[in-house]
Amino acid sequence: MRDVAFGQYYPAKSFVHKCDPRLKLVFLIVYIVAIFLCKSFYALGACALVFLLIAAFSGVPFKSLFRSVRAVIFLVVFTAILNLLFYNGETPIWEGFFLTWEAVYFTLFLAARLFLLVLGSSLLTLTTTPVSLTDGLEGLLFPLKWIRFPVHELALIMSIALRFIPILTDETGRIMNAQKARGTDFETGGLIKRVKAITPILIPLLISAIRRADELGDAMDARCYSGSKKRTKYKKLKFTWRDLIAFLVMGALLAGVIVMKIYLPAVI
Amino acid sequence: MEAIKFEKVYFSYEDGEETDDELFGNRPTFSLDGIDLTVQEGEFVAVLGHNGSGKSTLARLTNGLLEPQSGKITVLGIDTGADKNIFEVRKNVGIVFQNPDNQTVASIVEDDVAFGPENIGMPRKEIGERIDFALNAVGMQEYRYATTTRLSGGQKQRIAIAGVLALKPKIMILDESTAMLDPRGRKEVLDVVCKLNKEEGITVLLITHFPEEAMLADRALVMDHGKIVMEGEPQEILAREAELEKYSLTLPRSLKICRALQNGGLDIADSYSVEEIAESIAEKVKKTGAGTQPTTSENREELRWCEDGRGEIVCENLSYTYNEKSAFATHALCGVDLHIPTGAFYGIIGHTGSGKSTFVQHLNALIKLPTAEKKYKEKKNKKNASTVASTVLKVNGYDLSDKKTDFLALRRSVGMVFQYPEYQLFAESVYEDVAFGLKNFRKEMTEAEVTDAVREALETVGLSYEEVKNRSPFELSGGQRRRVAIAGVIVTKPEILVLDEPAAGLDPLGKEDVMKLLHKIHADWCKTVIIVSHDMDEISENCTGAAIFSEGKVLAARSPKELFQDGEYTQKAGLDLPFTAKLVNALKNRGVEIDCDLTTADFVAKILAICGNGADSAKGGGYDA
């Protein structure tokens, strides 16, 4: 198990966890495109069905899955109110009332779409470690090498950043504690006071980050690092039968949504 | 063939690093000042020297991270000066650096070990074999897919060694690679290094400031001001007390005891082994005919309980869990009971993860008890009310389980110095940094009063106020910065001072200095001093009492004498014994019972008393002799 102490990765050994990160990334993109192609509740329902199917095979409890939605509830409610009030519909719910059926449909549709988007993205981060996400991204961006885009460097920067997140988080905690012990008050006071209280944390943290970067640079040099030239890569991502199944599901979803877009009446 | 060859090598950092040292005047200071050095293949060489003596520069020059101003360096016959050779040199010379966190590139062990071979464009299949080989050599196969941040310090360093080994170097340099590790981690790393030298025939250059580590080598060098000043067999070099002192180094602990006994008139031979020393002492004791005269030693722990609880810590049934209600929940403390009396110089020992750091963070409410949280409502927590209510935590007379307690006042009276405190300095001048806490806690103080307090604190830690007050803390040396950081805590005159590994990462002399400083602070400033430490000798030499933490519980809390004498508790917690305790036990096995408080001074005095050499002459043979 490649566990991580940060991010929202949920450790498990499910079908979805074992899929190739490149495929998962592509799947997410297709899923998002499909959601935006949806013009009817049926199509959206199809997307929801696919999502539920994957979620059921992911081994991630629904509770942790829906925790990620909490953050966007406010946004959904806010847009819902605006839509209800300002959408120009034609059939009022009852005579003389400002709310129209169209506004209600439209609002529900948007809310469902937003939830599905967020749920899909969190399912990816819940089932994929940041490290393999980086690997996947590097794999997907690989063709850009031919236009001299520094794919390898970008991937290395990302993986080093990921590797130092827990270290710098610890360090922040330590420095915060040290300054708290010296009487800094982070909990009370106005905005300006609180921002001021951060200085004694930021400066040591910045210095430490620079020092670490310097030492890491030396350590990388000492291990013959010289950029991407003639560098090989040990870890190779491989597609398996799981990825084939996922690929077929993905194709079916896209095709289904397109067909429905053509033949079904649109809500919006 | 010579593995490493230096011929008249001079090196100075660009612009000839500014120095305020009067000794050097305007002369450019060389980090390496004409070094001639030859290391044979397969040799194990230790390089000793105080901070800034040029040891690390030597390491960096050897694998081409730095280039000399003049002179020639060859590695296995390859000239490091030519740019085209640079990768050939680096492939053959691996360096393991000091900080385990700052030399790992990847999040997964396997990926990190693969980094070197990937860089030289090795085919995939071979990289896999190299990873197997390297992880096997350092005994970390089972951690192949582990996350690097989750490993212990010793394990991280072993991974760093594996990362270097994967390039199959012929030479390995360890640049103070053990300085930041606890004794267990240090042993892990040194065992691996010795094995690589013996079994794989790798040439090892071990840079260290611990004399005990240099003992492992075939040959030892001592560096001072960029020159090699001593060279020879480690046993022989480490016995030259006067010379070592001149270069700011110390004798190994075993020799210190031998010398103290010799100074007291006991005629025994120098030795590095506990058994040998015990043997020769036992012989002397039997020869003098005095036999075993059990002289009792006073227990150092003075229990002074006072009415108002000032300087005192009472803790009962304290538990704490990190990340409660998540998949990563860890029980750091499980029912800790500990009483620390006023006036104690108290030690808290245990391995990383034993809960000692969590415990000390409770002492000034950096971690608050649930009952002290603002949100806490008694009704709401009825379910756990029984367990929560039975927790008692009183520090310096403040009740930490009560949310009405004045926590700011508590923090003022309980000073906390964290590990590597110098990394928390931030202000533009030393003065501002030291005054920071004071200005937070005592806003009513006038600038003049603040100045007086800052001056007093800086002078106490042994820095000259006039000299350092306007300097940036970042210009100072490592040891000075640590002093500034300690001054920044004691400036508020806390009654209890807690220090987490105050001597970590310092050389032996620096460690002694910090301990002396703490005794001074204990005598003049604070009622109670508490140190968290991995170093059993540090505890036995300095503390009046100590508690061993293991798996979130207090295994035992006694005076060092009772704690270490039979070795039962330390064994349970997987800790080492202090050197004196090992000696006492070895003597006991030879029928000589010594009842001492386990400080070097007392041990020596007791031995001399038994042998009839009189205790008076031994007084000078203290631990800092």
Side-chain angles (χ1 to χ4, degrees):
Chain A
M1 186 189 73
R2 303 186 162 186
D3 61 331
V4 277
F6 60 97
Q8 50 169 356
Y9 180 68
Y10 184 88
K13 285 181 178 171
S14 75
F15 183 93
V16 182
H17 281 80
K18 284 179 185 160
C19 275
D20 190 296
R22 286 172 297 178
L23 188 104
K24 282 197 257 185
L25 276 165
V26 172
F27 201 120
L28 182 68
I29 294 166
V30 168
Y31 172 81
I32 290 170
V33 169
I35 286 175
F36 278 103
L37 284 177
C38 291
K39 296 290 175 202
S40 68
F41 277 106
Y42 296 106
L44 210 56
C47 292
L49 204 67
V50 169
F51 168 77
L52 286 175
L53 184 77
I54 300 169
F57 275 100
S58 72
V60 178
F62 275 81
K63 218 170 100 194
S64 17
L65 200 52
F66 284 102
R67 204 175 291 153
S68 61
V69 190
R70 275 197 311 215
V72 289
I73 283 180
F74 173 75
L75 187 70
V76 172
V77 171
F78 187 70
T79 47
I81 291 169
L82 287 187
N83 278 322
L84 280 176
L85 293 180
F86 297 110
Y87 190 79
N88 286 325
E90 280 156 6
T91 18
I93 294 180
W94 56 81
E95 212 54 47
F97 194 58
F98 70 97
L99 265 185
T100 60
W101 282 114
E102 286 85 357
V104 172
Y105 287 142
F106 184 71
T107 305
L108 282 177
F109 192 83
L110 271 194
R113 185 192 251 178
L114 209 57
F115 276 130
L116 279 179
L117 280 178
V118 174
L119 283 170
S121 330
S122 359
L123 192 58
L124 177 74
T125 49
L126 278 164
T127 57
T128 322
T129 60
V131 177
S132 50
L133 266 183
T134 318
D135 290 340
L137 211 59
E138 189 184 4
L140 285 181
L141 293 179
F142 178 74
L144 290 181
K145 246 186 180 162
W146 302 111
I147 58 161
R148 302 248 172 129
F149 185 79
V151 178
H152 156 73
E153 279 78 4
L154 196 74
L156 188 70
I157 289 170
M158 270 172 66
S159 69
I160 289 177
L162 284 175
R163 135 125 192 81
F164 275 91
I165 287 172
I167 291 176
L168 290 178
T169 314
D170 277 2
E171 179 125 35
T172 313
R174 231 180 355 252
I175 295 170
M176 247 175 113
N177 270 344
Q179 311 300 25
K180 255 194 207 167
R182 290 211 279 165
T184 315
D185 186 1
F186 299 111
E187 285 143 28
T188 58
L191 186 68
I192 296 172
K193 201 186 149 213
R194 284 194 202 197
V195 170
K196 259 185 155 174
I198 289 176
T199 321
I201 296 173
L202 277 188
I203 292 177
L205 197 62
L206 195 69
I207 290 169
S208 140
I210 293 171
R211 184 173 42 85
R212 286 176 191 281
D214 195 37
E215 287 178 21
L216 183 71
D218 269 353
M220 284 168 67
D221 265 348
R223 283 160 77 185
C224 298
Y225 183 70
S226 63
S228 56
K229 271 181 286 170
K230 69 176 180 163
R231 199 170 187 275
T232 46
K233 198 148 170 50
Y234 171 63
K235 198 192 275 163
K236 271 244 163 70
L237 296 169
K238 261 196 231 141
F239 288 113
T240 60
W241 57 272
R242 289 191 190 85
D243 303 301
L244 183 69
I245 294 174
F247 185 78
L248 293 177
V249 172
M250 182 175 84
L253 172 70
L254 195 60
V257 169
I258 291 173
V259 167
M260 283 193 264
K261 183 177 159 61
I262 296 170
Y263 293 105
L264 288 177
V267 177
I268 50 170
Chain B
M1 196 177 16
E2 289 114 5
I4 304 171
K5 193 169 170 127
F6 276 56
E7 289 167 84
K8 296 208 171 46
V9 172
Y10 288 86
F11 177 84
S12 82
Y13 286 94
E14 277 163 298
D15 311 325
E17 267 196 0
E18 277 178 53
T19 153
D20 295 331
D21 211 320
E22 285 177 8
L23 273 173
F24 291 101
N26 293 323
R27 208 185 111 206
T29 51
F30 282 105
S31 285
L32 287 192
D33 197 354
I35 294 275
D36 284 303
L37 170 68
T38 313
V39 178
Q40 297 299 332
E41 251 185 284
E43 216 183 345
F44 188 153
V45 178
V47 181
L48 284 159
H50 60 87
N51 288 335
S53 58
K55 321 186 286 286
S56 292
T57 313
L58 190 81
R60 276 149 205 264
L61 280 165
T62 312
N63 89 334
L65 283 175
L66 297 172
E67 277 179 50
Q69 261 82 13
S70 72
K72 194 179 170 193
I73 304 166
T74 47
V75 170
L76 300 160
I78 312 164
D79 184 1
T80 63
D83 277 347
K84 64 175 165 57
N85 291 341
I86 199 76
F87 288 109
E88 203 49 38
V89 170
R90 286 184 185 162
K91 233 192 285 181
N92 280 306
V93 185
I95 299 197
V96 181
F97 294 91
Q98 185 179 18
N99 191 328
D101 281 329
N102 297 352
Q103 42 188 327
T104 317
V105 183
S107 305
I108 308 291
V109 167
E110 164 186 71
D111 298 348
D112 189 66
V113 178
F115 183 72
E118 284 177 341
N119 286 336
I120 56 168
M122 194 178 280
R124 270 198 69 217
K125 196 172 153 259
E126 219 180 318
I127 297 181
E129 288 163 15
R130 290 287 177 100
I131 296 174
D132 284 336
F133 156 75
L135 287 179
N136 210 14
V138 298
M140 292 284 288
Q141 308 91 315
E142 59 204 284
Y143 292 92
R144 183 165 180 158
Y145 304 110
T147 309
T148 44
T149 26
R150 288 281 181 90
L151 303 175
S152 73
Q155 289 174 326
K156 282 181 195 164
Q157 279 308 50
R158 273 150 74 197
I159 293 304
I161 294 177
V164 165
L165 268 184
L167 285 162
K168 294 230 171 151
K170 303 237 164 51
I171 302 162
M172 182 166 290
I173 303 176
L174 292 113
D175 188 2
E176 295 188 23
S177 311
T178 56
M180 294 178 83
L181 304 180
D182 59 9
R184 185 153 69 174
R186 192 173 296 158
K187 192 173 173 310
E188 280 171 30
V189 168
L190 292 172
D191 284 350
V192 165
V193 170
C194 289
K195 193 183 128 209
L196 290 174
N197 176 250
K198 301 233 156 50
E199 291 174 15
E200 307 282 333
I202 293 176
T203 313
V204 174
L205 204 61
L206 178 74
I207 296 172
T208 177
H209 41 222
F210 297 107
E212 280 84 359
E213 288 182 8
M215 297 289 301
L216 300 167
D218 306 322
R219 181 154 66 107
L221 309 171
V222 173
M223 291 190 65
D224 186 58
H225 289 116
K227 287 194 165 84
I228 294 175
V229 287
M230 292 165 79
E231 195 174 350
E233 269 191 30
Q235 272 86 344
E236 187 258 327
I237 285 201
L238 290 171
R240 293 194 234 157
E241 190 174 358
E243 260 182 283
L244 287 174
E245 207 169 295
K246 192 167 127 204
Y247 304 125
S248 313
L249 295 170
T250 54
L251 287 175
R253 195 161 288 277
S254 49
L255 276 197
K256 274 186 200 165
I257 290 190
C258 292
R259 291 291 156 91
L261 287 169
Q262 288 161 6
N263 290 344
L266 196 69
D267 181 27
I268 62 161
D270 275 353
S271 170
Y272 295 96
S273 105
V274 176
E275 295 301 323
E276 273 176 40
I277 298 174
E279 189 60 47
S280 42
I281 292 176
E283 236 169 70
K284 287 287 166 215
V285 169
K286 278 167 196 152
K287 210 183 275 175
T288 48
T292 50
Q293 294 173 345
T295 46
T296 49
S297 215
E298 272 169 49
N299 217 332
R300 264 182 291 164
E301 185 164 18
E302 290 171 59
L303 298 175
R304 282 193 281 149
W305 303 100
C306 49
E307 295 273 298
D308 59 357
R310 285 288 176 190
E312 184 183 306
I313 290 164
V314 182
C315 172
E316 281 166 25
N317 192 25
L318 177 65
S319 297
Y320 187 76
T321 308
Y322 283 103
N323 301 324
E324 213 171 354
K325 291 177 195 164
S326 95
F328 299 105
T330 34
H331 301 283
L333 297 178
C334 326
V336 166
D337 294 304
L338 187 61
H339 291 211
I340 300 177
T342 302
F345 195 111
Y346 208 80
I348 290 181
I349 29 189
H351 276 300
T352 315
S354 58
K356 52 192 174 29
S357 292
T358 311
F359 173 72
V360 295
Q361 283 182 45
H362 276 91
L363 297 183
N364 74 347
L366 289 173
I367 299 176
K368 279 186 187 173
L369 291 175
T371 49
E373 291 291 351
K374 275 181 203 151
K375 291 176 199 155
Y376 179 76
K377 286 193 188 84
E378 275 175 50
K379 280 177 201 158
K380 214 177 161 187
N381 286 287
K382 237 177 193 168
K383 258 190 249 162
N384 348 338
S386 55
T387 52
V388 172
S390 61
T391 298
V392 176
L393 185 58
K394 286 190 180 130
V395 178
N396 204 22
Y398 294 96
D399 183 357
L400 269 63
S401 60
D402 187 353
K403 64 178 166 186
K404 290 186 213 89
T405 302
D406 181 355
F407 284 101
L408 205 63
L410 164 84
R411 283 187 187 155
R412 191 178 74 203
S413 68
V414 182
M416 181 82 74
V417 179
F418 284 86
Q419 247 181 70
Y420 298 98
E422 57 273 27
Y423 293 154
Q424 289 129 26
L425 302 178
F426 68 94
E428 281 172 49
S429 69
V430 168
Y431 177 88
E432 283 300 318
D433 216 298
V434 175
F436 176 70
L438 205 57
K439 285 179 178 168
N440 280 330
F441 283 126
R442 310 192 58 178
K443 298 189 173 70
E444 76 284 358
M445 276 180 110
T446 63
E447 198 59 38
E449 284 171 318
V450 171
T451 307
D452 282 343
V454 171
R455 180 196 301 272
E456 206 183 343
L458 279 173
E459 309 261 297
T460 302
V461 298
L463 293 169
S464 152
Y465 172 75
E466 294 300 332
E467 233 172 69
V468 297
K469 66 169 180 181
N470 291 325
R471 291 179 67 179
S472 157
F474 305 107
E475 292 171 11
L476 305 175
S477 76
Q480 285 175 320
R481 263 186 284 167
R482 186 161 298 187
R483 283 163 187 272
V484 169
I486 293 176
V489 172
I490 61 168
V491 71
T492 58
K493 302 227 166 175
E495 281 160 288
I496 298 177
L497 183 64
V498 185
L499 304 103
D500 193 354
E501 305 248 8
L506 296 175
D507 57 16
L509 218 59
K511 280 183 203 258
E512 279 176 14
D513 282 348
V514 164
M515 283 303 146
K516 273 185 219 160
L517 170 62
L518 293 184
H519 279 292
K520 191 170 147 198
I521 292 172
H522 187 219
D524 304 343
W525 289 63
C526 308
K527 290 194 173 85
T528 308
V529 170
I530 298 168
I531 58 170
V532 176
S533 180
H534 287 301
D535 187 340
M536 298 305 128
D537 291 307
E538 210 166 270
I539 300 289
S540 72
E541 289 297 345
N542 298 294
C543 293
T544 56
I548 296 181
F549 273 67
S550 179
E551 288 165 5
K553 286 196 177 78
V554 174
L555 196 64
R558 310 276 151 82
S559 71
K561 180 182 154 191
E562 293 162 317
L563 205 57
F564 293 125
Q565 208 151 40
D566 50 12
E568 184 198 327
Y569 301 119
T570 44
Q571 203 178 8
K572 245 190 214 163
L575 296 165
D576 205 13
L577 277 177
F579 194 82
T580 43
K582 284 185 201 160
L583 260 181
V584 169
N585 288 342
L587 281 168
K588 204 177 186 180
N589 293 340
R590 290 173 172 76
V592 182
E593 297 257 359
I594 306 283
D595 183 21
C596 77
D597 68 2
L598 296 184
T599 58
T600 308
D602 193 49
F603 175 79
V604 170
K606 290 286 147 60
I607 296 286
L608 292 178
I610 290 173
C611 295
N613 290 55
D616 301 343
S617 52
K619 280 272 160 66
Y623 66 91
D624 51 355

